[in-house]
Amino acid sequence: MTNGNHTLNEILTQANAWEDALQAFYAMSARIQSAWQALQPQQVVFTGCGSTHYLSQTAAELFQSLTSVPSRAYPASEIALYPQSVLTDPAHTLLIAVSRSGATTETIQAIKRFEQAGGAAVWSITCYPNSPIAQSSALILLAEAGQEESVAQTRSFASMLVLAQALAALLGAEDVLQLKQLPNLGRQLIAETESQMKTLGSDAGLERFFFLGSGLQYGIANEAMLKMKEMSLSHSEAFHFMEFRHGPMSMVNQKALVVGLLSQQTHRYEQKVLSEMKTLGGRILSLTTEEPADGSAYHITLPKNLPAWAMPALYLPPLQLLAYYRAVSKGLNPDNPRNLTAVVYLDETEFEA
Amino acid sequence: MTNGNHTLNEILTQANAWEDALQAFYAMSARIQSAWQALQPQQVVFTGCGSTHYLSQTAAELFQSLTSVPSRAYPASEIALYPQSVLTDPAHTLLIAVSRSGATTETIQAIKRFEQAGGAAVWSITCYPNSPIAQSSALILLAEAGQEESVAQTRSFASMLVLAQALAALLGAEDVLQLKQLPNLGRQLIAETESQMKTLGSDAGLERFFFLGSGLQYGIANEAMLKMKEMSLSHSEAFHFMEFRHGPMSMVNQKALVVGLLSQQTHRYEQKVLSEMKTLGGRILSLTTEEPADGSAYHITLPKNLPAWAMPALYLPPLQLLAYYRAVSKGLNPDNPRNLTAVVYLDETEFEA
């Protein structure tokens, strides 16, 4: 049994995998553009399970904001169980399936339902080119260097997210080459934040974690919540930033860490929420491109020179490290979370009824 | 200071408020149909904050499944902060704002942004006919008898949900009069389940609560989570039913109650999840129209003779009672949850920038 060596290594080396994924993406960007032109879908549905559902949330939000094509995320199980409710116009819908392994049963079933309904096309984002999901896709965005040994997705998640960001930017006519800055910025951020995240992750005075993000950062907040939960078995939840006031903040006390994933365009609204949570006794970790506000005990400065669509992946490494060090300090092995396996395989015949 | 008397009274009398709301609805159904015919929107967006965001999730899912018009829920804050990302075709979009008070700042701001973007029409579902949100709506669905003294929404939520169900059924050409059965079924369910919920709510051996629902029941699971959190300050989370396997189930142990809101069409997939959670040591409460499965320590039988679209409100009363009795047994006052107020008012000028 390892003791989290895989996970730590995967977190620390992820920027190389982003670079690799981007290189593969740039090489096929003309093909992507012509496939998109040929399709001209009226809806885009992103799907995945667990982490890749959360990735899909950010991807769909970004895709819709850059392309203006209505885009949304559904957990694969919801498509598999309720295809007729979910797919309102399959003949003009592009399904983008996100799966690290490319082998998740529910995602395969979602694709089947989509095809049975006459869906226009399936594209995929995955780490495995020969997987069933990749093989059933008209277009495969590949993050091969994102493959990992651990159960919890870190490097794979961020690499696939970078691909989703690149896809939205390309089809939304943004300068997708700006993403070339990401790997170095990611490396720098890891170097700058690791020791702070180790300290905070080892703080036994914390017992509950709330991750808040709006817009593009909502899916990232969910993923940070899931990492904390899977690796460290800690009470962790995620909410749309401003939604936190509408009930969930009743749980804030001195043992709560409220993690704000602030967005460039909306940080002044979000900063107010964090200040209020500090007044309620919560401890605050903020990730923002702005000056540290006085309410934040802990602060991570994100690079300011990037467009909003390039930002989401950068929030991940520090929050992955936070979960990792929390797990280690609790004596848990982050490589093999309790109750979990790397891929959820279900009996496919169950779905065939 | 009361000790939860308001909340208990509001939960126990809610079926009368449903009846009242339905009566008002039936009286205006011709008007609703002609307004819908005149609009013929290409998208429907439901919006609210906290509880009413969760109500919007179920309403949007139901609306889309019955009318085939793409429908989705956004927290009001997301519309207020990112109107251009959220609204892809405002001129052909119907916004349905849900607000108990009709005075929530973010929802008012969402309506303003929608109108500034040239939105087609605003309808509302509220308990207060003279509220700002009602007054700015072309059509008001009113649950006046849903008004309440408590901070946490129970009677108001269920009454507004019944209206949303009626609206979807009417415009989806279902027999909306079938909802006339709901109030009596609700009364019966309350009578049948109150003592069991009191016992379970008073069980000090439980420390974490997971609410699982798919399709229409996902929003209801979220609302049950919020009730448990607000009233009883307990660790509670909600997930899409099958998503629970993809990470969150790492938190299941002997002190966990996994509450399954099973759906008629998909209960056999969902029942398997519950059985697995029992194997992991979790205790199980299932709400289902089917025979109690052997995995469930606690079971609530829902009426079997109703169509799926009529069901969502029926899951609420037992789960509200569970949260209420948990709060009382912890010595908390459910009428006035910690840190919370009945309406979240923000400085409107903040949003005017």
Side-chain angles (χ1 to χ4, degrees), chain A residues 33-269:
Chain A
Q33 278 176 309
S34 63
W36 176 253
Q37 280 308 319
L39 267 179
Q40 304 211 14
Q42 283 166 27
Q43 290 182 35
V44 177
V45 171
F46 286 86
T47 196
C49 298
S51 283
T52 53
H53 170 52
Y54 300 140
L55 193 160
S56 295
Q57 291 177 326
T58 289
E61 188 85 15
L62 183 53
F63 210 85
Q64 177 166 302
S65 75
L66 294 185
T67 67
S68 296
V69 177
S71 306
R72 60 187 296 183
Y74 280 104
S77 56
E78 296 284 310
I79 302 177
L81 296 179
Y82 303 100
Q84 286 170 346
S85 303
V86 167
L87 305 169
T88 52
D89 186 12
H92 301 98
T93 299
L94 166 63
L95 181 71
I96 303 184
V98 190
S99 172
R100 173 174 62 177
S101 65
T104 314
T105 303
E106 285 143 281
T107 310
I108 292 172
Q109 290 298 324
I111 292 171
K112 280 193 186 164
R113 292 290 165 282
F114 177 75
E115 286 171 342
Q116 285 162 359
V122 178
W123 293 3
S124 63
I125 303 179
T126 179
C127 298
Y128 290 87
N130 299 315
S131 61
I133 289 171
Q135 292 303 310
S136 62
S137 304
L139 201 79
I140 312 165
L141 303 187
L142 206 55
E144 266 194 282
Q147 294 178 10
E148 51 206 353
E149 300 292 325
S150 302
V151 168
Q153 306 191 14
T154 56
R155 180 170 70 192
S156 62
F157 183 98
S159 305
M160 292 189 291
L161 177 64
V162 166
L163 287 174
Q165 292 178 218
L167 183 67
L170 178 71
L171 301 179
E174 298 288 337
D175 176 14
V176 68
L177 293 177
Q178 288 194 70
L179 290 176
K180 283 194 169 175
Q181 302 171 67
L182 276 195
N184 275 338
L185 292 170
R187 285 183 195 105
Q188 203 177 320
L189 202 56
I190 289 170
E192 282 168 10
T193 60
E194 187 177 0
S195 82
Q196 190 188 16
M197 291 304 101
K198 187 172 184 174
T199 306
L200 197 52
S202 310
D203 189 331
L206 294 171
E207 67 171 25
R208 49 184 76 167
F209 297 82
F210 298 101
F211 298 90
L212 310 183
S214 67
L216 303 180
Q217 270 58 260
Y218 174 62
I220 307 298
N222 272 322
E223 168 63 4
M225 168 281 286
L226 190 58
K227 287 290 90 71
M228 181 57 76
K229 189 176 260 110
E230 290 178 327
M231 287 196 216
S232 82
L233 302 180
S234 302
H235 173 185
S236 62
E237 302 184 57
F239 295 93
H240 282 102
F241 220 117
M242 315 275 282
E243 278 285 287
F244 196 55
R245 283 198 187 100
H246 294 276
M249 73 174 184
S250 57
M251 297 295 287
V252 170
N253 63 12
Q254 286 74 9
K255 295 178 173 179
L257 183 69
V258 181
V259 182
L261 288 73
L262 291 89
S263 296
Q264 260 166 314
Q265 316 95 292
T266 50
H267 65 89
R268 65 197 183 94
Y269 307 104

Side-chain angles (χ1 to χ4, degrees), chain A residues 64 85 215 229 237 268 353, chain B residues 64 78 85 215 229 237 268 353:
Chain A
Q64 177 166 302
S85 303
K229 189 176 260 110
E237 302 184 57
R268 65 197 183 94
Chain B
Q64 177 166 302
E78 296 285 309
S85 303
K229 188 177 261 108
E237 302 184 56
R268 63 197 185 96

Side-chain angles (χ1 to χ4, degrees), chain B residues 296-315:
Chain B
S296 297
Y298 310 98
H299 181 78
I300 291 171
T301 306
L302 298 170
K304 215 174 171 158
N305 56 332
L306 290 173
W309 57 263
M311 295 296 295
L314 289 174
Y315 294 78

Side-chain angles (χ1 to χ4, degrees), chain B residues 18 24 49 63-64 113 146 205 229 255 260 293 344:
Chain B
W18 304 359
C49 298
F63 210 85
Q64 177 166 302
R113 292 290 165 281
K229 188 177 261 108
K255 294 179 173 177
V344 176

